[in-house]
Amino acid sequence: MGSADSQDQRSFSGDRKAAWEAFLQCQARLMQRLGRELEDAGKVPLSTYDVLVQLAENGGRLRLRDLVDRVVLSQPGLSRKVARLQDEGLVERLPDPRDGRGVLVKLTRSGRAALRSAAVVHIAGVERVFTDRISEEEAAVLARVFARLLEQAAD
């Protein structure tokens, strides 16, 4: 019992603990700033941008249950968000032909236009607060680490 507990405590200390805390704080601050920039520019909110990007990067449509794994919203939160986006004409909800109970979420032309417009602001913000501030080597390390963590999180 003692060795497992002490190993768990050791792995959450020092640089590993500092890395985790900095990751959380940095992610929160950067998302707040990027969201504020979209809002100030009169574009879609960051949570809407996230949904629209996921759809666009996946052929313009995803099953709702697959979309929930790609965004920072709970299943009920995403369902409400998709209903609002449908009311705004940015997405369509369609029956999933492979699953009679499932729902496909499809990006509309208006959704694509809103995404293109917001992307100009968002990408400029990401460059300003993140990609312009890290080296190619740091980017490569971060890409490898986060790819591995994502892969392991899927298990």
Side-chain angles (χ1 to χ4, degrees):
M1 179 164 110
S3 66
D5 289 345
S6 61
Q7 185 170 349
D8 288 346
Q9 289 174 346
R10 278 197 312 268
S11 69
F12 190 67
S13 63
D15 285 343
R16 288 179 173 163
K17 182 175 186 280
W20 175 251
E21 291 169 347
F23 164 74
L24 291 177
Q25 291 173 6
C26 184
Q27 190 270 348
R29 287 185 190 165
L30 293 180
M31 292 300 101
Q32 288 170 355
R33 181 171 177 179
L34 294 169
R36 196 169 42 251
E37 289 177 0
L38 284 171
E39 184 180 322
D40 291 348
K43 305 301 179 188
V44 296
L46 188 56
S47 60
T48 296
Y49 182 84
D50 188 21
V51 170
L52 299 180
V53 164
Q54 295 309 316
L55 292 171
E57 290 182 350
N58 288 281
R61 66 175 62 201
L62 276 170
R63 292 182 298 177
L64 186 62
R65 70 178 192 203
D66 294 332
L67 183 56
V68 77
D69 292 335
R70 291 174 165 83
V71 297
V72 187
L73 290 169
S74 65
Q75 170 65 48
L78 179 59
S79 293
R80 288 190 298 272
K81 177 61 130 178
V82 167
R84 286 192 301 272
L85 296 180
Q86 183 173 19
D87 291 345
E88 295 170 17
L90 301 177
V91 302
E92 290 179 81
R93 293 184 331 166
L94 307 167
D96 184 345
R98 294 185 294 176
D99 176 1
R101 298 171 301 172
V103 173
L104 283 175
V105 182
K106 180 183 175 203
L107 191 59
T108 64
R109 282 187 178 164
S110 294
R112 285 189 190 282
L115 176 59
R116 277 193 303 274
S117 177
V120 173
V121 173
H122 184 69
I123 291 170
V126 170
E127 289 172 342
R128 187 173 46 261
V129 303
F130 185 71
T131 59
D132 289 350
R133 296 181 181 195
I134 62 174
S135 69
E136 288 296 324
E137 294 80 20
E138 290 168 324
V141 169
L142 289 171
R144 282 193 310 273
V145 167
F146 289 125
R148 186 183 75 239
L149 292 173
L150 282 171
E151 184 178 307
Q152 291 170 350
D155 293 343

